[in-house]
């Protein structure tokens, strides 16, 4: 490596055109997926802990999708807030073939066949406890029973027309069970985007309110299944296992504090990597900008460019709509 003064780093930073020529990564609207919250009925409402983010019903979603598609966004990920009365210990609504998600899939496939639709697979919108699986007598989520329900849920979504499912439950053997079920039922082309590097994060806080899992009790701890944020090796092991079980795309979640994991997967595995910039990451920037502490557009774009630099191919972000407007 040449040193100073043979090498002067500022030679490639001194003018705009040189900086442009030497820019290594560009964010585009094609990289973005917009997460959308759904509710059973009525007009849309706002989520108090995520300023600017709405929940839509099937009545209001069509107009919203038209907006999104006009902005050039090509895919959405949907998350349901079902009625409280439908939340059950055994999560029966999760496998109702006519539940909110199945109805939405059918509507979107019919009216917007070009739009990418990604459906989350986990039981937390459907359980009374707010856990991602059903609880056993010992108070822990029962792994093997839960993955059977998740595979049935996946099959229902595939039958309704969903082309990409995204298991975010962090159960063992989930991908194997789902892939086998899809294969057996001839859904050989349904893509699995697996949340294999999903950490047990406090940045999910606002999301839990958004899907109606806000409890006055203490924070729902998912540490018996989600990854310890202190661990990297364990995340890579989970990723490698899920690739063998049939995952097509890997998800890292949350995003900005976990980019070392993205880079490591890109270096080690031949697979597209997606990241999820989660609800807490959204609200932090949004609220700091509202208070004029940060420049909104610049900090949001920086956060996303850093994700690109880490090697991610796909970015789930609640900022997607605004970003698509800025990039136009
Ligand atoms: C559910 C799920 C969660 C998120 C996406 N899918 C929350 C959780 O694991 O508790 C979080 C998304 C966000 O915070 O924006 N399995």
């Amino acid at each position: 490596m040449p040193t100073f003064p043979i090498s002067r780093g500022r030679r490639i930073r001194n003018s705009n055109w040189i900086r442009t020529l030497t820019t290594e990564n560009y964010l585009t609207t094609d990289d973005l997926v917009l997460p959308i919250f759904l509710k059973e009925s009525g007009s849309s409402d706002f989520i108090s802990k995520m300023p600017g983010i709405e929940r839509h019903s099937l009545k209001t979603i069509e107009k919203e999708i038209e907006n999104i598609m006009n902005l050039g966004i090509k895919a959405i990920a949907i998350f349901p807030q079902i009625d409280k009365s439908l939340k059950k210990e055994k999560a029966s609504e999760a496998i109702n073939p006519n539940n909110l998600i199945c109805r939405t899939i059918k509507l979107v496939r019919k009216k917007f066949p070009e739009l990418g639709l990604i459906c989350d697979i986990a039981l937390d919108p459907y359980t009374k406890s707010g856990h991602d699986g059903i609880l056993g007598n010992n108070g822990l989520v029962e792994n093997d029973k839960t993955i059977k329900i998740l595979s049935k849920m996946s099959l229902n979504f595939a039958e309704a027309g969903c082309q990409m499912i995204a298991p975010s439950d962090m159960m063992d053997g989930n991908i194997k069970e789902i892939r086998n079920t899809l294969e057996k039922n001839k859904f050989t082309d349904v893509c699995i985007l697996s949340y294999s590097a999903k950490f047990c994060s406090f940045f999910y806080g606002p999301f839990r309110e958004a899907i109606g899992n806000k409890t006055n009790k203490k924070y729902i701890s998912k540490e018996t299944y989600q990854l310890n944020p202190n661990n990297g090796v364990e995340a890579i092991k989970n990723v490698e296992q899920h690739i063998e079980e049939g995952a097509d795309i890997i998800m890292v979640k949350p995003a900005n504090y976990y980019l070392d994991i993205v880079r490591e997967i890109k270096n080690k595995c031949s697979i597209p990597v997606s990241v999820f910039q989660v609800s807490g990451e959204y609200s932090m920037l949004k609220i700091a900008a509202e208070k004029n502490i940060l420049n909104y557009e610049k900090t949001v774009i920086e956060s996303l460019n850093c994700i690109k630099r880490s090697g991610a191919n796909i970015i789930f972000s609640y900022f997607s709509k605004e970003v698509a407007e800025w990039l136009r």
Side-chain angles (χ1 to χ4, degrees):
M1 241 337 166
T3 55
F4 179 82
I6 303 293
S7 167
R8 287 179 185 266
R10 291 182 57 190
R11 287 188 202 120
I12 62 165
R13 292 178 218 132
N14 275 335
S15 64
N16 188 45
W17 69 272
I18 301 179
R19 285 194 300 276
T20 305
L21 283 176
T22 56
T23 297
E24 296 176 28
N25 299 286
Y26 281 100
L27 177 71
T28 77
T29 300
D30 291 343
D31 302 318
L32 301 172
V33 174
L34 177 70
I36 295 185
F37 294 107
L38 297 170
K39 55 189 268 194
E40 301 272 358
S41 59
S43 48
S44 67
D45 56 4
F46 282 94
I47 296 154
S48 66
K49 290 183 180 166
M50 300 179 73
I53 303 294
E54 283 173 282
R55 268 185 217 98
H56 285 278
S57 71
L58 288 191
K59 245 171 60 187
T60 63
I61 193 71
E62 284 186 41
K63 203 156 187 303
E64 176 69 359
I65 291 177
E66 278 165 20
N67 285 339
I68 292 164
M69 293 184 77
N70 284 336
L71 287 166
I73 293 172
K74 299 189 178 55
I76 60 172
I78 51 175
F79 299 91
Q81 182 204 37
I82 67 167
D83 279 343
K84 215 170 166 196
S85 62
L86 294 174
K87 294 185 189 246
K88 299 278 159 61
E89 242 126 72
K90 302 277 181 228
S92 49
E93 184 65 7
I95 50 172
N96 170 2
N98 201 31
N99 68 18
L100 179 56
I101 295 297
C102 292
R103 280 180 276 134
T104 308
I105 296 169
K106 288 177 201 157
L107 176 104
V108 170
R109 285 274 63 86
K110 194 167 148 212
K111 299 245 160 120
F112 307 98
E114 298 302 313
L115 182 71
L117 183 62
I118 304 169
C119 296
D120 210 68
I121 302 291
L123 300 184
D124 54 329
Y126 308 97
T127 53
K128 260 206 166 104
S129 65
H131 276 289
D132 289 17
I134 53 171
L135 298 179
N137 294 333
N138 59 4
L140 298 181
V141 169
E142 278 197 74
N143 192 88
D144 299 14
K145 278 191 185 151
T146 297
I147 61 176
K148 294 272 187 257
I149 302 174
L150 297 173
S151 69
K152 176 67 182 132
M153 187 179 173
S154 304
L155 183 58
N156 284 353
F157 290 178
E159 280 168 348
C162 178
Q163 297 152 322
M164 187 181 286
I165 54 166
S168 69
D169 50 280
M170 286 296 283
M171 295 299 118
D172 288 320
N174 59 346
I175 303 304
K176 186 175 183 183
E177 183 74 32
I178 292 169
R179 179 56 80 205
N180 281 343
T181 302
L182 292 173
E183 284 289 316
K184 256 191 247 152
N185 289 279
K186 306 272 184 288
F187 288 104
T188 51
D189 289 337
V190 172
C191 195
I192 300 180
L193 190 168
S194 171
Y195 288 67
S196 308
K198 178 167 181 180
F199 290 86
C200 186
S201 173
F202 278 83
F203 288 97
Y204 306 149
F207 175 93
R208 302 214 177 145
E209 183 209 303
I211 62 163
N213 282 347
K214 197 173 75 169
T215 55
N216 297 321
K217 285 176 259 157
K218 70 178 206 311
Y219 196 80
I220 307 163
S221 174
K222 300 189 177 180
E223 62 196 347
T224 67
Y225 41 104
Q226 297 179 348
L227 295 165
N228 179 348
N230 303 29
N231 293 356
V233 172
E234 196 183 344
I236 302 303
K237 181 195 168 207
N238 218 42
V239 167
E240 287 172 338
Q241 201 167 322
H242 280 168
I243 294 171
E244 287 200 7
E245 290 181 18
D248 302 289
I249 302 173
I250 293 299
M251 173 74 93
V252 175
K253 177 176 174 199
N256 286 88
Y257 293 104
Y258 294 84
L259 298 181
D260 55 320
I261 307 294
V262 176
R263 171 49 60 196
E264 199 160 337
I265 299 170
K266 288 308 290 186
N267 288 346
K268 284 201 175 136
C269 311
S270 307
I271 196 159
V273 176
S274 182
V275 298
F276 200 132
Q277 192 178 48
V278 301
S279 54
E281 297 179 280
Y282 169 84
S283 296
M284 278 196 305
L285 284 181
K286 189 79 179 185
I287 292 165
E290 279 180 356
K291 292 186 183 299
N292 268 324
I293 294 169
L294 293 173
N295 177 313
Y296 186 53
E297 181 173 338
K298 299 287 186 199
T299 49
V300 168
I301 293 284
E302 180 180 332
S303 75
L304 297 171
N305 275 326
C306 292
I307 292 171
K308 283 285 287 197
R309 193 198 60 233
S310 74
N313 309 97
I314 303 165
I315 305 173
F316 286 51
S317 173
Y318 297 100
F319 296 119
S320 293
K321 271 196 321 187
E322 285 163 293
V323 171
E325 248 162 56
W326 299 332
L327 292 177
R328 261 224 273 236

